[in-house]
Amino acid sequence: MNESQESKRLLPPHLKPIDTNGPPQRITVCTRPFRASGPRIEAERLGDQLLIHNYGHGGSGWSLSWGSATRVLNLLRDAHPRTLDVAVIGAGAIGITTALTLQRAGFIVSIYAQDPPLQTRSARATGSWTPDSRIALGEAVSVRFEDAWRRLASETFAAFQAYTSMTSRPVEWVDRFVLSDTQPDPQRAEFDRRDSHGFFKCSLHLANSSPLMSFIPRDQSPFPTPYAWRSRSLTFNLGVLIPLLLEEFQRAGGRLEACTFRTPADLSKIRERLIANCTGWGARHLFGDKSLTPIRGQIAWLPAQTNLRYGLLYGDLRIVCRQDGIVVQHSREGDDTGWNDASETPDAEEATAGLKALATLQASMKERTRKVPMLRRALNADIF
Ligand SMILES: Cc1cc2nc3c(=O)[nH]c(=O)nc-3n(C[C@H](O)[C@H](O)[C@H](O)COP(=O)(O)OP(=O)(O)OC[C@H]3O[C@@H](n4cnc5c(N)ncnc54)[C@H](O)[C@@H]3O)c2cc1C
């Protein structure tokens, strides 16, 4: 392979600039339902009802969803129920995947939820494979937690593979570039974010889930940083994925009912005696779970651009080019951003700062690419 071919391999032709002119299309905010001890997945008796809790997935709800749903199925089976009718409370990432998992196993499932799937907090997520994002505090969990977490993550990863071959691309592998001004361990570059809480992190890679990163030699890199790596990342195009999951559920006879439960006693009013509680942050109010801490997160959305399929991670800036929009996230305090903040009011300043940081990065890339002829050839014509 000659030099130019090698840089083509490292820099795909679709590394085109993102149009940052104009204000964001919209700003969305949501709350990560964080528990220091990790998600609560356990059974509890409530009068004559069997309640299986499945909530508290922090910043990893999509990435641990199918594995958590399988835990619910196993707990339900262990209880040897005399009925197949199950109610799932909640229609976010956890509720919809729990409903589908139970339905596929033969249960007759109804979802009761205050917000329909596309209006849940889950629908406002970045849409990346992030199984250990603000999922627990390192000091509050044991080695057993790590084993259980690993199972949840690997089962979820495996389940999402079935969606990567669909032509509508609900889930897809995209290139991801990690940039750094200092020399971190590339496999931990994402972990070296500010974190004064000591969040649980797992450096061990799940089989094939996080492909190793290739270092991009400086003379072949269009990025202004001394260090840049290319990797691949599993991306959830939630605007496509959520309707697809809902359609499967409803086609198989699943029922979705708008409903708000004010207290646990309200649950006795529904017909079903088996209940999966997938209320996320809502569990703090409904079940008085004070161990749930809100972690606020915000995204400034740019309109989707055809053929832009990559992600960028540079310090506090995270970009994900999704089929249904471009995510610009600027977390000024790294992983500490939004700790114990339940406000879901958009912060226009934070959004502008993210867009500015992206525009500055792209201006430096343009400058660098103009100066280095080999990069211009490798990146092909109209880019940067
Ligand atoms: C900015 C941001 C980016 C994120 N990015 C990612 C990512 O890239 N990858 C990832 O894996 N995770 C990500 N997350 C985390 C992920 O969004 C959450 O872990 C996930 O949304 C939790 O899903 P859930 O179904 O438990 O909760 P929710 O999505 O909040 O759903 C809860 C459901 O329960 C219903 N409900 C609640 N209370 C009641 C009640 N009393 N009565 C009736 N219904 C009720 C709600 O209406 C809703 O339908 C991100 C989070 C944030 C904030």
Side-chain angles (χ1 to χ4, degrees):
M1 202 185 291
N2 64 33
E3 262 187 334
S4 176
Q5 284 168 327
E6 173 65 16
S7 35
K8 260 186 192 156
R9 192 182 64 77
L10 289 171
L11 300 169
H14 53 263
L15 184 65
K16 291 185 179 165
I18 296 164
D19 184 356
T20 53
N21 291 321
Q25 203 176 40
R26 63 199 163 104
I27 302 172
T28 57
V29 186
C30 83
T31 304
R32 297 175 183 89
F34 175 82
R35 296 176 83 238
S37 56
R40 182 179 184 198
I41 312 178
E42 64 184 6
E44 184 185 11
R45 283 266 161 212
L46 193 71
D48 66 344
Q49 289 176 309
L50 176 71
L51 193 59
I52 301 186
H53 297 289
N54 185 14
Y55 66 86
H57 293 77
S60 306
W62 283 104
S63 310
L64 300 177
S65 55
W66 295 105
S68 303
T70 303
R71 288 274 301 278
V72 172
L73 174 62
N74 293 340
L75 287 168
L76 208 51
R77 282 180 169 151
D78 288 350
H80 304 292
R82 289 200 214 118
T83 168
L84 288 177
D85 288 315
V86 186
V88 170
I89 316 297
I94 302 301
I96 192 86
T97 51
T98 299
L100 275 167
T101 301
L102 299 181
Q103 195 183 50
R104 287 172 189 171
F107 287 92
I108 300 158
V109 185
S110 297
I111 299 178
Y112 299 86
Q114 187 174 326
D115 306 300
L118 280 170
Q119 277 158 40
T120 57
R121 296 193 169 91
S122 298
R124 292 173 242 148
T126 310
S128 299
W129 168 249
T130 56
D132 64 351
S133 166
R134 283 158 279 191
I135 188 62
L137 291 187
E139 62 175 29
V141 295
S142 63
V143 178
R144 275 181 54 209
F145 171 84
E146 185 168 323
D147 291 343
W149 168 84
R150 196 176 293 277
R151 266 195 307 279
L152 299 186
S154 51
E155 283 171 22
T156 304
F157 180 77
F160 272 127
Q161 296 316 302
Y163 294 85
T164 57
S165 55
M166 296 179 181
T167 44
S168 60
R169 295 196 273 127
V171 180
E172 63 183 333
W173 283 100
V174 297
D175 287 308
R176 186 168 69 153
F177 298 93
V178 178
L179 318 182
S180 179
D181 291 312
T182 52
Q183 186 174 15
D185 170 352
Q187 298 311 326
R188 293 190 58 89
E190 197 171 348
F191 304 166
D192 289 343
R193 289 156 58 87
R194 224 164 319 159
D195 166 14
S196 61
H197 297 94
F199 290 113
F200 165 84
K201 288 284 173 204
C202 192
S203 57
L204 300 173
H205 282 269
L206 301 164
N208 300 324
S209 78
S210 308
L212 293 179
M213 300 207 235
S214 335
F215 181 71
I216 305 175
R218 187 80 188 102
D219 61 344
Q220 294 168 30
S221 170
F223 302 110
T225 53
Y227 304 97
W229 292 266
R230 179 183 175 188
S231 177
R232 307 270 292 157
S233 168
L234 200 61
T235 299
F236 310 122
N237 291 308
L238 298 176
V240 180
L241 178 66
I242 293 173
L244 188 82
L245 298 178
L246 184 61
E247 191 202 298
E248 179 188 337
F249 173 69
Q250 290 180 319
R251 208 171 350 102
R255 222 167 47 87
L256 171 65
E257 192 175 315
C259 180
T260 302
F261 301 95
R262 306 276 168 213
T263 67
D266 284 352
L267 293 170
S268 64
K269 295 178 191 153
I270 57 173
R271 178 173 70 76
E272 293 82 358
R273 301 296 91 186
L274 304 174
I275 300 176
N277 167 31
C278 307
T279 48
W281 170 238
R284 179 164 165 129
H285 309 285
L286 181 56
F287 291 96
D289 185 346
K290 296 284 186 291
S291 71
L292 272 165
T293 301
I295 307 184
R296 181 188 186 278
Q298 170 171 304
I299 293 174
W301 292 88
L302 293 172
Q305 282 175 242
T306 324
N307 291 333
L308 283 198
R309 287 164 80 177
Y310 63 88
L312 266 177
L313 199 65
Y314 178 30
D316 293 338
L317 181 68
R318 179 190 288 268
I319 307 294
V320 182
C321 297
R322 272 174 31 188
Q323 221 192 109
D324 49 353
I326 297 174
V327 169
V328 180
Q329 243 176 316
H330 191 247
S331 312
R332 278 179 283 215
E333 291 161 35
D335 278 358
D336 286 344
T337 308
W339 173 262
N340 206 12
D341 183 353
S343 154
E344 294 191 335
T345 306
D347 177 343
E349 235 178 71
E350 181 183 321
T352 307
L355 293 180
K356 258 197 194 155
L358 175 60
T360 307
L361 175 67
Q362 293 197 143
S364 320
M365 289 170 72
K366 186 173 182 175
E367 183 61 19
R368 227 185 112 63
T369 310
R370 204 175 50 77
K371 280 191 192 147
V372 185
M374 196 180 84
L375 280 175
R376 244 192 353 258
R377 280 198 303 277
L379 283 168
N380 250 334
D382 63 325
I383 325 175
F384 288 105

